Amino acid sequence: RLLRPRRRRRLGSANALCTSGARVAVPRPDVDVVAGHLWFGTLPASRPAIYVTCLRDPVVLRVSGALYLRLKRYDALSLEDVATDVAAGYVKKADREKPYYANFIKRLGAAEPMSRYGSYVNGAVASESARRAARVLDDSFAVVGLTEKYGLFIEMLKKLLPLKGDAADAFWRDEAARRENGNKCKHSTCAVLNALGADARRALNRTVAYERKVYVAAVAVHDRRCAERLGKKVCDAVPARSC
């Protein structure tokens, strides 16, 4: 069914349903949209489902996540001290037995049982999960967006899910401005990333090596889907925002 502006868009507890990777059926048949940090394939639905997702550059995402989780503490520190603290964490993680960060790879490509996948995994698990994730993006997702080109993500959704009525423009305008996890740290993600030393950057790049593989696959799928829905000229005219 097409979404309608007056229909409730989201299931309020969707994010809590399956962040662990457990399979949980959508509990209400009248729900049209389930959104959140969900694992692919964990919400069996009674109706045919359309899958969409939006990915962010994993290096930028990791730094942004660190700032978000330590917001209060980092607000009291200088930029140099924040960068030093963030760097120490990545260097430590890169030297562990399971050094590879697992976000895209487990949510999109992890095999059952889901519970065996933690935040960091070894190379064998990361490699297989990244391969599966890249295939899933191409085979199963109608729209693959990029945070760096968020406007195009919204435009593709508008084509996929056309709304009717006077409220349509306001609905999509609100979605384009949505920042549910807005980073309000006084130090920007880009500033902290640019302040990281060479060792920290190498460690960070190593921990997200397989996340990067999935992101590269996502960029390729995004570009194809965008050209199909909006036209290559429109898609090529939008530069990527990044640090």
Side-chain angles (χ1 to χ4, degrees):
R1 270 186 290 177
L2 297 181
L3 297 178
R4 293 176 175 82
R6 293 182 182 178
R7 186 181 299 277
R8 184 178 180 184
R9 297 180 308 105
R10 297 172 180 241
L11 177 65
S13 60
N15 192 47
L17 284 175
C18 55
T19 53
S20 66
R23 289 176 64 83
V24 181
V26 177
R28 284 172 37 193
D30 61 325
V31 169
D32 287 316
V33 174
V34 178
H37 292 182
L38 310 177
W39 296 58
F40 174 73
T42 55
L43 284 174
S46 59
R47 292 178 283 156
I50 298 172
Y51 294 96
V52 302
T53 189
C54 188
L55 278 65
R56 188 177 187 182
D57 182 300
V59 170
V60 180
L61 179 63
R62 292 297 288 134
V63 175
S64 177
L67 298 182
Y68 180 76
L69 292 173
R70 302 163 196 162
L71 181 63
K72 291 182 179 179
R73 180 158 64 90
Y74 282 173
D75 266 349
L77 300 179
S78 67
L79 174 61
E80 292 74 17
D81 288 340
V82 170
T84 298
D85 191 73
V86 170
Y90 293 136
V91 171
K92 181 179 179 180
K93 289 180 174 71
D95 291 334
R96 288 165 39 165
E97 180 182 354
K98 296 181 177 180
Y100 299 107
Y101 181 61
N103 183 27
F104 303 156
I105 59 177
K106 72 179 181 182
R107 296 184 188 279
L108 292 166
E112 300 281 2
M114 296 293 188
S115 59
R116 83 184 204 196
Y117 294 87
S119 296
Y120 285 81
V121 297
N122 62 39
V125 171
S127 178
E128 173 61 14
S129 296
R131 185 187 66 80
R132 290 165 57 93
R135 187 180 70 242
V136 162
L137 286 170
D138 200 13
D139 291 348
S140 301
F141 283 79
V143 171
V144 174
L146 306 174
T147 301
E148 292 75 21
K149 294 187 176 184
Y150 195 70
L152 290 177
F153 176 58
I154 294 296
E155 290 301 317
M156 284 191 282
L157 289 182
K158 288 170 68 175
K159 289 282 188 178
L160 179 68
L161 304 170
L163 299 179
K164 297 179 180 180
D166 296 337
D169 289 342
F171 175 85
W172 289 117
R173 185 170 59 249
D174 290 345
E175 289 304 301
R178 180 181 294 278
R179 295 293 184 272
E180 290 183 339
N181 288 335
N183 176 19
K184 298 175 182 173
C185 182
K186 71 176 183 179
H187 306 296
S188 73
T189 298
C190 291
V192 173
L193 179 58
N194 291 332
L196 295 179
D199 289 344
R201 284 179 172 271
R202 281 192 290 269
L204 176 55
N205 282 321
R206 183 190 177 203
T207 64
V208 299
Y210 290 97
E211 295 284 288
R212 172 64 66 185
K213 289 180 181 292
V214 178
Y215 182 76
V216 169
V219 170
V221 176
H222 166 274
D223 290 349
R224 290 199 302 275
R225 300 284 195 274
C226 189
E228 292 166 1
R229 295 190 181 278
L230 305 179
K232 191 174 186 301
K233 184 176 180 180
V234 171
C235 302
D236 289 346
V238 177
R241 296 186 296 105
S242 190
C243 293

